[in-house]
Amino acid sequence: MADIFQNSNKIEDELINVGSDRACVIVGAALLEDVLRALLAEYFTHKADSNKLFDHSGALGTFSAKIELSFHLGLISDYEYKLLNKIRDIRNRFAHRTCMSSFQDDPGIKDEITAVLTINDKLWFRLKLVHADEALVKISSDNPWKREYVKCILWLRLALYHRIIHARHTIPEPVTPFVDSLDMQEFLCNSVESWINRCNIKMQDLREMRNFASENNGSQELASNIETNISLCKKQIKENKEHLSICQKIKKLIHEKMIEEGLLDNKQ
């Protein structure tokens, strides 16, 4: 698949200049579906075999499946999830109703665009810096719903591109086959230990946030939220240390028993 970052300006022009509202809706949704596919593919460890997942009959062949998996793997935020599902819903209504050719044909859609898909100025500012507003001027002022729809598509595309960049800096590694029972237990111990380390890092970050908030007269609500999260981290660390201790004892037992059974030598 070609790099998703190529021809982005051409795609933007096509989205804005496409004739009917129906075409705009379908093209916009297809654009986001392609970007979601690229995002998911970044996390696949067996990329050569992943194309079949995106076939029409594949597990990720639908827009809905791509949205759901991206969200439940934590690759997109709940806000992006909400926007994408609304885009998908509007796309389906235009695609499956012959009477739908314009946003004017369904007052409900107009209300939903205004209520759900309107991107606030703070989020839009990044695109404003690259003159995206100038492109939106090409859309008739008589059709504010199309303008908001396109604006949402452009913002979501940018947000998902940022998610892809993040993915390219956090490349997952494929797991290796287990050698034996001891190797399986070692894997479990390492996983629990890794989780403890992540909790410790998170707790350190929270403590720094607490200090910063205190020095800058942060609100009581913020301080309370930080303390709650620190307490939760402490609890998770304590529980996982207990879990790790049990895992290590089981690992030692497996090691001893495998030596007794002649499955390992004393040097291993």
Side-chain angles (χ1 to χ4, degrees):
M1 183 173 60
D3 193 295
I4 197 68
F5 294 100
Q6 293 178 356
N7 301 320
S8 60
N9 290 334
K10 180 180 178 182
I11 293 170
E12 180 180 303
D13 289 339
E14 181 181 353
L15 177 63
I16 291 173
N17 295 320
V18 71
S20 68
D21 289 353
R22 182 200 293 272
C24 174
V25 165
I26 293 173
V27 168
L31 167 63
L32 294 180
E33 187 170 358
D34 282 347
V35 182
L36 270 183
R37 171 177 173 160
L39 174 61
L40 285 166
E42 288 292 335
Y43 287 90
F44 292 158
T45 56
H46 303 288
K47 297 185 187 298
D49 299 324
S50 66
N51 284 339
K52 61 186 178 184
L53 293 172
F54 297 109
D55 289 344
H56 181 67
S57 58
L60 298 173
T62 65
F63 193 11
S64 176
K66 295 180 183 74
I67 294 171
E68 291 299 323
L69 186 60
S70 297
F71 176 66
H72 289 288
L73 288 176
L75 309 186
I76 58 175
S77 70
D78 52 354
Y79 179 61
E80 291 149 20
Y81 175 72
K82 178 181 178 181
L83 293 180
L84 285 163
N85 267 319
K86 181 52 64 179
I87 294 288
R88 179 185 61 82
D89 176 52
I90 292 173
R91 187 278 309 267
N92 287 346
R93 279 189 265 178
F94 271 94
H96 300 301
R97 295 183 189 174
T98 56
C99 61
M100 287 280 294
S101 61
S102 164
F103 291 116
Q104 301 276 11
D105 295 330
D106 187 339
I109 283 183
K110 293 192 293 184
D111 293 340
E112 289 168 22
I113 289 174
T114 302
V116 180
L117 299 187
T118 300
I119 303 299
N120 69 48
D121 291 341
K122 290 182 179 180
L123 288 175
W124 180 252
F125 187 74
R126 173 66 180 80
L127 281 162
K128 185 177 181 179
L129 289 176
V130 293
H131 310 295
D133 283 338
E134 296 174 11
L136 292 175
V137 170
K138 299 176 185 177
I139 300 174
S140 171
S141 59
D142 295 333
N143 196 346
W145 309 284
K146 181 177 181 180
R147 183 174 302 195
E148 290 303 323
Y149 181 88
V150 170
K151 194 173 179 180
C152 183
I153 295 288
L154 296 179
W155 183 83
L156 269 172
R157 184 190 65 172
L158 178 67
L160 294 175
Y161 280 2
H162 280 71
R163 303 300 185 197
I164 291 172
I165 293 296
H166 171 74
R168 291 181 178 179
H169 288 83
T170 54
I171 301 172
E173 295 182 1
V175 295
T176 56
F178 292 121
V179 176
D180 53 35
S181 295
L182 185 63
D183 185 38
M184 290 179 71
Q185 192 64 24
E186 177 73 21
F187 178 82
L188 181 57
C189 289
N190 289 340
S191 298
V192 176
E193 194 166 7
S194 176
W195 176 250
I196 292 171
N197 290 336
R198 287 199 296 271
C199 285
N200 277 319
I201 292 170
K202 182 179 179 181
M203 189 159 66
Q204 181 61 38
D205 290 341
L206 286 167
R207 284 171 173 161
E208 290 178 5
M209 287 174 59
R210 180 180 61 187
N211 293 339
F212 179 82
S214 176
E215 292 169 1
N216 292 274
N217 299 317
S219 68
Q220 283 295 113
E221 182 181 3
L222 175 60
S224 176
N225 286 337
I226 292 173
E227 289 299 335
T228 299
N229 280 284
I230 288 175
S231 297
L232 180 60
C233 277
K234 287 180 178 179
K235 181 182 178 183
Q236 290 175 335
I237 290 170
K238 182 176 182 293
E239 290 174 349
N240 279 283
K241 281 184 175 179
E242 292 171 356
H243 186 194
L244 179 60
S245 177
I246 294 170
C247 289
Q248 289 171 335
K249 289 176 181 177
I250 294 173
K251 175 187 168 185
K252 182 179 179 181
L253 178 63
I254 291 172
H255 185 259
E256 292 171 351
K257 293 297 182 182
M258 288 184 73
I259 290 175
E260 286 181 14
E261 295 288 333
L263 298 173
L264 289 176
D265 59 44
N266 286 317
K267 295 179 181 179
Q268 290 180 282

